[in-house]
Amino acid sequence: MPLLLFALVWLSCSWFGSWELNPNNSTRLFAAISLVNDGDATIDEFAPLTIDKARFGDHVYLDKAPGMTLMAMPAVALANGLTAERTAPRTRDVYDPALGHFMKIRLRLAAILSSALLTALAAVALWSLAGAITGNATAGMVAALAYALGSPAWGWSTTIFGHASVAALFTIAAWAIWWGTRDKGATGGGQRWLAALAGAALGWAVVVEFQAALAGTAIGLWALWRIRALPIPARLPLILAALAGGLAAGLPLIAYNMAVFGVPLKFGYSGVVGFDGMQQGFFGLTYPKLPVLFELVFGLRRGLLWVAPVLVLAPLGLVRLCRDPPTRGVGAMASAAILIVLLVNAAYVYWDGGYSTGPRHSVPALPLLALGVAPLWASLVRLRARIALLIVFGLSIAINLAIAATEIAVPDTVAFPLWRPILADDVALGYFRDLPSQFWGWSPWSGMALYLLLAGCVSGALLAAMRTARRAAMAD
């Protein structure tokens, strides 16, 4: 089951892509190209091609946290070797076909080897975590697929924006903490490795998006709560292992800052160009606004309700987790982390994310929200109730297939992106960004048909594996 789940999610996230010259994609990729080709992080030659940039002195740089850029570097090096091209075409036109082709190959490889890969790993981790919490592997599978394919995490995993990667890293950390502390008396090598993994996942999430430190703190405090009953000599190795993992994950950030700015810690946002709102509060963060929170959940333009209806039901399951003493801790952690992500999003001056389908700055909350789907599913005893939940679940997957296949970054002037342009225009006209149509010359509908065939085969094998496992469990 975990291998088939991984294959289904990685295939789905790798099959579709996003626009390679979207500023959030391109600025990260420009920096990766510069680092690989020239050994420095300046993007001076690319500056006219992106609105997302920072200026320090006489040079232009990436304005984001560098995590996604660092993860994109192997993909850039691989693309250089495969295509024998190192230098991007010298152009000031983002619609230049030659530049688009050069960037498209590198973006696709970067997304496949970073965001898509992490989301696939996180889906397996969430299946394992949710299944263990509920004692129901099917409930765990529903939660994992609700997150990976039934929410905008799917679409954002086709990009090198940082949102999907942070979401995945939070999930991996939560999984490692749960399994590393499940046996309250065990503090051996396996537990220390899991503690180090949790620390590394949370640390790398901050390297990808600095604000991940806020919600990540809730996960870290939950880990300390899980080991509170251990004597200090048993707790100390776990804490040190987690700190070592976090430090190891943070070293590339320090190395990047030293190489680029000559200091161990510097925020690219401090030199951002053209976004005056970033001067408000702390790099654009002020205080949460209740109307914005409403828009993030229910609003037609950015509301989670319209792009992931199954997750709107998830709080019911989180309440069940919080009420049950054995799962109260994980329920409280998930609820706290979700609330922090939403409040941070609602406090951000550019809360709507500019060009976006759904609330992109809230994506890190999605897997922890999806965790609530598992106890909800396990609590449903009537067949009618489960069928109803499966209908909403299937609707969510269909919606996010449409989003991932067409446009994850709809212009911010559109009133209801799900309808137009996604369903009424892009899907109706077969405007899909899939591998066969973009790289092999296939018609878009042919590429979609091949995806559905492959995904259907893997899904069928996954269902068969679930049935086999269920029969084996009943026999035992």
Side-chain angles (χ1 to χ4, degrees), residues 53 56 61 91 105 148 150 170 216-217 245 278 293 317 324 333 336 341 347 444:
K53 52 196 171 188
F56 296 98
Y61 298 90
T91 177
I105 294 172
F170 281 172
T217 298
M278 297 299 289
L293 279 174
D324 192 1
M333 176 276 294
V341 171

Side-chain angles (χ1 to χ4, degrees), residues 2-22:
L3 288 174
L4 289 167
L5 174 60
F6 174 87
L8 176 61
V9 175
W10 199 18
L11 167 70
S12 300
C13 295
S14 300
W15 196 262
F16 303 104
S18 59
W19 185 39
E20 56 279 357
L21 272 302
N22 178 293

Side-chain angles (χ1 to χ4, degrees), residues 87-305:
T87 305
R90 297 282 180 172
T91 177
R92 291 178 176 268
D93 183 4
V94 295
Y95 297 104
D96 177 15
L99 176 65
H101 181 73
F102 179 89
M103 295 289 289
K104 189 179 299 179
I105 294 172
R106 284 152 182 79
L107 175 62
R108 277 306 187 91
L109 286 174
I112 289 169
L113 297 177
S114 60
S115 305
L117 180 60
L118 283 172
T119 296
L121 290 171
V124 175
L126 186 60
W127 164 75
S128 174
L129 174 61
I133 289 172
T134 61
N136 187 321
T138 302
M141 190 63 68
V142 173
L145 291 175
Y147 148 59
L149 300 183
S151 82
W154 183 356
W156 293 113
S157 298
T158 69
T159 76
I160 57 171
F161 290 49
H163 315 309
S165 291
V166 170
L169 290 163
F170 281 172
T171 310
I172 292 168
W175 172 85
I177 292 167
W178 173 268
W179 287 105
T181 58
R182 196 179 189 196
D183 185 349
K184 301 302 183 183
T187 59
Q191 283 71 27
R192 289 194 292 272
W193 277 110
L194 286 169
L197 174 60
L202 292 177
W204 190 250
V206 177
V207 179
V208 172
E209 286 189 349
F210 295 129
Q211 69 269 26
L214 299 173
T217 298
I219 301 174
L221 290 175
W222 172 59
L224 292 176
W225 177 260
R226 294 274 293 176
I227 61 173
R228 69 191 184 282
L230 294 176
I232 292 178
R235 269 184 284 169
L236 190 58
L238 298 177
I239 294 173
L240 290 176
L243 291 174
L247 178 61
L251 287 177
L253 173 63
I254 296 173
Y256 173 87
N257 283 324
M258 289 299 297
V260 176
F261 305 116
V263 294
L265 183 61
K266 190 177 183 72
F267 298 104
Y269 291 116
S270 62
V272 71
V273 175
F275 291 91
D276 294 338
M278 297 299 289
Q279 307 305 316
Q280 299 181 28
F282 183 73
F283 298 126
L285 291 178
T286 56
Y287 61 93
K289 291 86 171 173
L290 287 177
V292 173
L293 279 174
F294 179 87
E295 289 296 322
L296 292 174
V297 179
F298 302 108
L300 288 175
R301 194 161 65 96
R302 291 291 181 267
L304 187 64
L305 170 66

